Amino acid sequence: MEDIKTLKDIHFVRNGIYSLFGIALRILPDKEHYDLLKKNFPILSKVAAESGNKDMRKGFCGIKSFLSKRDKLFGKERDEYEMEALRRYTTLFCLKDSVPMEETFYTSGGRVESYDARDDMVRLMRKHNMHRSKDVTEYDDHISIELAFMAKLAEESMLCLEKTVNSEEGATGYDALITEQIEFHKNHFNKWIKEFVKQTLKYNVDEKLFKPLLIFLRGFISEDRRALEEMFLDIKCLGEIQPERYEYEN
């Protein structure tokens, strides 16, 4: 089993990536958005290179291309570039026939009265004492909320490991957190993220930033699922827990 410091580092990175994408897929493309991506550009570059995941590498190249072009523009030219990016984002996600960003759309089977995914997110956020800021108006099953929730569980995992060294209770809590994150992949991400990304990529608008962001995210979620499964197996081999082994579709 990997040592505690290595595991803490992994959860630290997981928390950072999930937090970044939770914000990036919630706010409009503007200066705040671009500054956020530029600030986190080194970590995106590092994890894309180290993972070997084709989606992460392809997505990173698209993000890099968009930001590099923006950095070369000034004044009116940059303003026009950013305004066009905003228009394309609006077409992609904000119009009546745009791509839905909520899980319910993809998992309700066309039943408009079905809000199982939304209700489960409310339950999970209450369980982990997760409170949304007043300026967050999206539904509870919006992609940004689900990513922010996973970021919180990654942070809790990291903090729990700090107790593991001298506390049996800490280890038990960590086991439960890994299992819950695997279950979240199974019960939420696995049911809709690939279809959401697919619909976004095929939408007829030449959008240059959010499509690459979602390609990167699709790859990252896939790699995260595998990493959690490996942690789960490590714990199981040590005899600390004996839960069901989850199987996932590739």
Side-chain angles (χ1 to χ4, degrees):
M1 187 173 183
E2 294 179 272
D3 62 68
I4 290 177
K5 181 181 185 305
T6 299
L7 288 171
K8 285 175 63 177
D9 290 343
I10 291 172
H11 291 302
F12 178 81
V13 172
R14 294 180 63 241
N15 170 259
I17 296 293
Y18 275 121
S19 296
L20 167 64
F21 277 81
I23 298 172
L25 293 173
R26 179 175 61 81
I27 64 177
L28 296 173
D30 57 10
K31 185 179 185 301
E32 178 187 359
H33 190 279
Y34 303 133
D35 288 347
L36 178 69
L37 290 178
K38 289 180 68 175
K39 179 181 179 181
N40 289 276
F41 191 80
I43 189 62
L44 292 178
S45 176
K46 187 174 188 295
V47 296
E50 291 181 351
S51 73
N53 184 282
K54 292 181 180 179
D55 274 346
M56 291 175 68
R57 290 186 176 186
K58 180 178 180 181
F60 174 75
C61 287
I63 298 167
K64 179 180 179 180
S65 175
F66 179 91
L67 294 177
S68 295
K69 183 173 181 180
R70 176 180 177 270
D71 287 344
K72 295 175 183 177
L73 301 174
F74 300 93
K76 186 177 180 180
E77 286 186 331
R78 176 178 285 193
D79 291 341
E80 291 176 350
Y81 184 74
E82 294 180 353
M83 182 56 67
E84 183 58 28
L86 178 59
R87 291 193 191 99
R88 294 181 181 184
Y89 169 87
T90 301
T91 301
L92 190 59
F93 293 125
C94 302
L95 303 181
K96 186 176 181 180
D97 62 345
S98 297
V99 181
M101 302 181 78
E102 296 83 24
E103 180 182 349
T104 294
F105 176 86
Y106 300 90
T107 59
S108 65
R111 294 176 292 121
V112 296
E113 73 280 4
S114 175
Y115 297 104
D116 292 346
R118 199 165 295 168
D119 292 342
D120 194 46
M121 285 304 304
V122 171
R123 178 187 67 81
L124 287 169
M125 288 191 291
R126 186 179 296 118
K127 175 182 178 181
H128 288 273
N129 198 30
M130 177 178 170
H131 303 287
R132 305 191 309 171
S133 301
K134 292 182 179 180
D135 61 335
V136 177
T137 58
E138 286 75 16
Y139 289 118
D140 295 295
D141 61 334
H142 189 274
I143 180 65
S144 64
I145 305 299
E146 293 198 2
L147 295 173
F149 175 74
M150 189 61 99
K152 180 170 178 58
L153 292 191
E155 180 182 30
E156 289 184 6
S157 300
M158 181 173 57
L159 295 175
C160 193
L161 282 168
E162 295 179 358
K163 303 176 183 178
T164 302
V165 179
N166 299 311
S167 170
E168 183 177 344
E169 180 181 352
T172 303
Y174 181 72
D175 301 346
L177 282 168
I178 295 302
T179 302
E180 183 151 21
Q181 288 169 89
I182 291 174
E183 290 178 341
F184 193 81
H185 274 278
K186 176 185 176 182
N187 297 326
H188 289 276
F189 286 161
N190 281 17
K191 292 184 176 180
W192 76 288
I193 294 298
K194 287 184 179 179
E195 183 60 27
F196 166 54
V197 176
K198 179 181 177 181
Q199 289 200 25
T200 302
L201 296 181
K202 74 178 185 180
Y203 196 87
N204 189 26
V205 58
D206 188 22
E207 200 281 324
K208 300 292 188 182
L209 177 59
F210 285 86
K211 288 185 177 183
L213 279 170
L214 287 176
I215 292 172
F216 185 103
L217 180 63
R218 180 175 62 187
F220 177 75
I221 286 177
S222 177
E223 294 300 322
D224 185 58
R225 179 197 71 198
R226 298 180 192 283
L228 289 167
E229 284 184 311
E230 290 178 3
M231 294 176 198
F232 171 88
L233 290 174
D234 282 343
I235 294 170
K236 184 176 180 181
C237 287
L238 290 176
E240 295 175 356
I241 56 174
Q242 296 293 329
E244 174 188 0
R245 172 74 163 92
Y246 292 114
E247 298 296 336
Y248 293 92
E249 296 179 0
N250 290 322

